[in-house]
Amino acid sequence: FAVKKIFSHKIAVISTAIFSLEPYSLILSNGIYSETLFMPLLLSGFFFLLFCLTEKKPIFAYAGAALLALAALTRPVALYEIILIPVVLALAGFGIKKTAKYAALAFFIFALVLSPWIIRNRISLKTWQLSSLPDYNIYYVHASSFCVWLGEACNADFSSSRETNAKELLKDFFSGHNPKKYRTLGLEFIKNDPVNFAVFYLQKIPYFFLQNNYGDIAQTFSKNNIFDKPLLKEGLQDAIFRMDTAKLKHYWSSANAATAFILLGKLFVVLLTICLIGSIALLFSPAYNKQIIALIFLFIFINAVLSTPAGHAARYRFTILPLLILLTVLIIQHIKSFILRNQKIA
């Protein structure tokens, strides 16, 4: 409905059909994950903000703020999306005073929806935090992944204590509450080598767009362990990035239905990424609202940057996959229209 209202019925049908039939989306939609609830809340909140821009009515910003708050209760990453509210109000042309007034009310609604959970945390856990998960993730996900990326260059003390701390973390997370310990450990390790951490972070961003879990799907329906194959253990993606011809030849020589399916998944996400880059051209097309396209890019960028170090790229990308597919359909339609116009001229 949202895509139909902002773009067209045809674009909405094609985008929805692709998302509905894409194998990983189909599998994940039938599982119990935080994304199952998070995605509809997050995207609904975002589209309400777009409606605020197109309809020039602040009530849509208020509805978007409420939905983003509900999404934040599912996954804290939605907390950062509220920066879009004043941006949308300003682009809608409300002026400085009205933008500030409407944004303040939207932020109040956002805080009001979150307040019962925050009060609960204060009473039960003696903290004003909405969630302690980011503190645990600083150590367990960000710092630990950084250590693995460093390899032998990783601090020996940190590396040797990771396994012990990981076991203690699970106990603290499920039966205790000591997030400050892990936030301190993680931040101390990262602060000791900020330049390399920045490089690690930037290098991980492409994986957010290019990794997929088609191998996991193939494994689910396979009688044998498909990951026993050397190349699948080490990763086809790494072989492609490094242009390792020996591994690529081995891949083709041992290809079967499972590996072909995995390759299909990789081609799909590569196509989405190419179209995402190509859709920058939509910003210069009079056929589309440049502000809406720019906001979609900003929304995708925020989610990609915040989710990059956490791994599980396909799962975290799932929440913005409908937007990636939407941009893909739009740029393909744009290219098609361009070709048809040139043919008529010729």
Side-chain angles (χ1 to χ4, degrees):
F1 170 78
V3 175
K4 176 184 175 181
K5 189 172 180 65
I6 295 173
F7 294 101
S8 70
H9 176 73
K10 181 181 178 181
I11 294 295
V13 170
I14 295 173
S15 301
T16 303
I18 295 173
F19 176 73
S20 301
L21 297 174
E22 196 269 319
Y24 188 69
S25 301
L26 194 62
I27 294 292
L28 202 63
S29 297
N30 288 279
I32 302 175
Y33 298 93
S34 60
E35 284 74 19
T36 310
L37 177 59
F38 178 66
M39 185 189 72
L41 290 172
L42 182 72
L43 292 185
S44 296
F46 176 63
F47 274 110
F48 267 107
L49 294 184
L50 294 185
F51 290 154
C52 175
L53 179 60
T54 57
E55 303 298 322
K56 312 298 182 184
K57 294 179 180 179
I59 191 170
F60 289 112
Y62 306 151
L67 286 166
L68 288 176
L70 290 174
L73 290 171
T74 309
R75 280 188 60 201
V77 67
L79 287 170
Y80 302 94
E81 302 294 352
I82 62 170
I83 65 172
L84 294 174
I85 294 175
V87 174
V88 168
L89 291 169
L91 290 175
F94 288 115
I96 297 175
K97 288 184 178 180
K98 285 187 176 180
T99 293
K101 175 184 173 182
Y102 297 151
L105 184 53
F107 290 149
F108 174 75
I109 293 170
F110 185 85
L112 190 65
V113 174
L114 296 178
S115 60
W117 184 254
I118 294 174
I119 293 170
R120 175 263 175 196
N121 284 350
R122 179 58 186 171
I123 294 172
S124 301
L125 304 175
K126 310 301 180 186
T127 178
W128 288 108
Q129 285 182 293
L130 173 68
S131 172
S132 58
L133 182 59
D135 290 341
Y136 288 105
N137 281 346
I138 286 174
Y139 175 82
Y140 191 61
V141 177
H142 297 63
S144 294
S145 298
F146 179 40
C147 180
V148 173
W149 181 82
L150 287 172
E152 294 181 0
C154 179
N155 181 281
D157 293 335
F158 183 89
S159 183
S160 61
S161 64
R162 275 197 313 133
E163 188 174 342
T164 302
N165 283 331
K167 292 177 181 178
E168 291 179 0
L169 181 145
L170 291 175
K171 291 180 182 178
D172 284 339
F173 185 76
F174 288 106
S175 58
H177 188 73
N178 190 15
K180 291 182 180 179
K181 168 186 173 182
Y182 301 98
R183 182 178 66 227
T184 302
L185 286 171
L187 288 177
E188 283 181 354
F189 178 65
I190 291 170
K191 287 178 180 177
N192 285 333
D193 197 355
V195 175
N196 270 328
F197 182 75
V199 174
F200 154 75
Y201 206 108
L202 291 172
Q203 285 189 359
K204 291 276 284 184
I205 290 178
Y207 285 85
F208 177 81
F209 295 100
L210 295 172
Q211 279 186 340
N212 67 70
N213 282 49
Y214 277 49
D216 293 336
I217 300 174
Q219 180 63 63
T220 301
F221 297 99
S222 176
K223 294 180 180 179
N224 302 315
N225 183 3
I226 64 170
F227 294 106
D228 279 343
K229 294 182 179 297
L231 188 58
L232 289 179
K233 272 185 180 180
E234 297 170 15
L236 172 63
Q237 186 167 279
D238 288 335
I240 294 174
F241 281 165
R242 296 172 184 174
M243 294 302 294
D244 191 325
T245 55
K247 286 184 179 179
L248 290 173
K249 286 180 181 178
H250 176 70
Y251 177 84
W252 288 114
S253 65
S254 61
N256 54 23
T259 52
F261 179 71
I262 295 169
L263 182 60
L264 174 66
K266 294 188 181 297
L267 291 175
F268 176 72
V269 293
V270 167
L271 173 64
L272 289 182
T273 305
I274 292 172
C275 289
L276 173 64
I277 297 170
S279 57
I280 294 174
L282 299 177
L283 293 169
F284 306 96
S285 170
Y288 303 101
N289 186 319
K290 297 177 178 60
Q291 295 176 337
I292 288 178
I293 299 298
L295 284 170
I296 292 174
F297 270 111
L298 180 58
F299 185 80
I300 290 172
F301 175 77
I302 292 172
N303 279 273
V305 169
L306 293 175
S307 302
T308 284
H312 308 291
R315 178 183 161 190
Y316 293 135
R317 188 179 59 242
F318 174 72
T319 56
I320 60 168
L321 184 60
L323 295 178
L324 292 173
I325 293 174
L326 171 61
L327 288 177
T328 297
V329 175
L330 287 174
I331 191 61
I332 290 175
Q333 183 192 52
H334 180 67
I335 294 171
K336 178 183 175 183
S337 300
F338 179 78
I339 293 172
L340 289 175
R341 283 197 305 271
N342 285 343
Q343 287 178 344
K344 288 180 181 179
I345 293 172

